[in-house]
Structure formats: structure tokens, C-alpha cells
Amino acid sequence: MSFELDCTPMGSMHVDSHEEGPIATNTYLVASGDEAIVIDPAWKGEDIARRIATDHPELRIRAIVCTHCHGDHVGGVAGMRRELGDEVPFVISAIDAPYIEGAVTHMKRNWGLNIEMPPEPDRLLREGDTVEFGSVTLQVIETPGHTRGGIVLFAATQDGNIAFVGDTLFPGSHGRTDLDGGDDAAIMASLGKLGRLLPVDTLVCAGHGPVTTIARELETNPFMQLALKNE
């Protein structure tokens, strides 16, 4: 059965982005009303949580959500949990969850990064699941290729369409596939899936680097163009 998105605009959100850690990972604070989630806390989670509390004292963090299992995207989870409390769930895809320990260990051993192991996930996501907070709903899209269980989080809001794509899609390119769990054919299929599913006006928030749009990627990204051509 083919997967379809609900593109009915609902609710409003505000997004803050900060580069965190030695690989300049984009960590996103996504707020709706007085509730928020943090996507991909990369580094020094206590500092992230304290900065949010200082800058946005009105917000209640409802969840910590990671787009995939790599250490530069989960490295701040443990620190955030210590600061916020265990009642704030750590959420990741069901497919990637078993590979968190190996991915973090690989970065520590081979890249020399002192990444803290996150706790066990509290919720596991599958395609079609949703993450709800405030007045908005993030829809889960499975996008393997960079890792086995990478996900994209899409929301249709009254402020416009937005997708948090992790390291699946970069402006003009895509995430690397030479690490454990990477797969060239899978990431090309995921790029085609995003090009087909996401509205062209979707703002794309990637795991590294600047924002882009699906329209721009359809016009300029040779990998997405090839993926769609070969479908």
C-alpha cells in the first residue's frame, strides 16, 4: 500500500536552528504554542536545554526526536534528559534504534569524538506515525539510505509546509552512504520518494548546512532528478 501525506494545513509553528558540535549539526527547536520538541540534539544536551529555558521560558519540551542513529544527531540526548527529566521521551525510528550503540561507538573510535551514549528510546517510530505537540502534527516518512532507518518529519501548517530531513537530503546533494547502514540504491529511492511526496513549496531543514526547498531541489539537485527519472 502506497504511503500518502496529509497536506491539509493545520496549526502554527516556529523553528529555531542552532549549529551544535564539531560536525556543525543543525539542532532544531520546533515550537507550537507553549509546547515544543527538539530535533537532533547533537552535542552538550544540558547546554541546549538550559539555552531553551533561558530564551523560551514559556515552552514545555514534549519530546526529543532524532532523525537517525548517528552520534552527531543523538549526542545531546542524554544531557537533555538529565536537565529536563526522564518524563521527556527520546524518540527515534524503530529500524535505527538497534544501531544507536554501534553508530555512537564508531564515531568515538574512528573520529575521536567524545559522544555520550543516549538512553534507551522511549518511543519507536514507523512510517505513517505522527508526533503531535501544540497545534501541529509531524508525519513520519521512512527514508533509508544514509542509515537503515532514517526518517523525515513533515508538517503541513498554516505557516507553510516544512520537512526535517536529517541527512537524507542536502541542497544539491544527499547524505553519505559509506558508513554502516548506508546504501546508494536506498538513498536514491528515498530522494525520489521525497520528490514525489512532498509539496514543491516545502521548506527543507537538513541535518547540516542551509535550508532549501523541494522546488529548488527538483530544479537543481541531479540526484533527485535521476531518482525521479528512474522510478
Side-chain angles (χ1 to χ4, degrees), residues 38-228:
V38 175
I39 298 176
D40 291 346
W43 196 258
K44 297 182 178 179
E46 292 98 339
D47 291 348
I48 295 173
R50 291 167 188 161
R51 183 177 67 232
I52 293 171
T54 299
D55 295 345
H56 304 281
E58 76 285 0
L59 291 180
R60 179 165 64 98
I61 306 300
R62 290 290 308 276
I64 303 164
V65 187
C66 294
T67 59
H68 61 287
C69 64
H70 285 161
D72 61 318
H73 291 255
V74 304
V77 174
M80 286 201 74
R81 283 283 291 269
R82 279 194 299 274
E83 190 71 18
L84 298 173
D86 292 345
E87 66 273 13
V88 178
F90 165 36
V91 184
I92 196 169
S93 82
I95 297 172
D96 257 12
Y99 300 101
I100 294 172
E101 183 176 357
V104 170
T105 300
H106 171 86
M107 281 196 165
K108 291 175 72 172
R109 289 178 177 172
N110 295 280
W111 297 23
L113 300 180
N114 186 24
I115 297 169
E116 185 175 5
M117 196 70 68
E120 288 293 317
D122 300 288
R123 182 185 175 196
L124 301 177
L125 298 174
R126 291 282 188 179
E127 183 160 272
D129 288 345
T130 60
V131 177
E132 300 176 11
F133 58 100
S135 60
V136 300
T137 298
L138 293 175
Q139 302 170 63
V140 177
I141 308 169
E142 292 180 348
T143 54
H146 180 63
T147 63
R148 298 171 180 86
I151 57 172
V152 164
L153 301 160
F154 168 81
T157 80
Q158 294 169 355
D159 307 307
N161 297 309
I162 188 166
F164 302 92
V165 301
D167 289 359
T168 296
L169 172 63
F170 294 140
S173 186
H174 60 74
R176 60 190 298 176
T177 57
D178 58 337
L179 301 175
D180 180 55
D183 185 308
D184 287 334
I187 206 164
M188 291 298 287
S190 291
L191 292 177
K193 183 178 185 178
L194 294 178
R196 176 171 37 84
L197 277 178
L198 298 183
V200 295
D201 64 349
T202 300
L203 184 69
V204 174
C205 298
H208 305 269
V211 298
T212 183
T213 63
I214 289 298
R216 187 180 303 151
E217 296 312 300
L218 289 170
E219 182 179 352
T220 65
N221 189 322
F223 302 99
M224 181 172 279
Q225 292 169 352
L226 180 61
L228 289 166

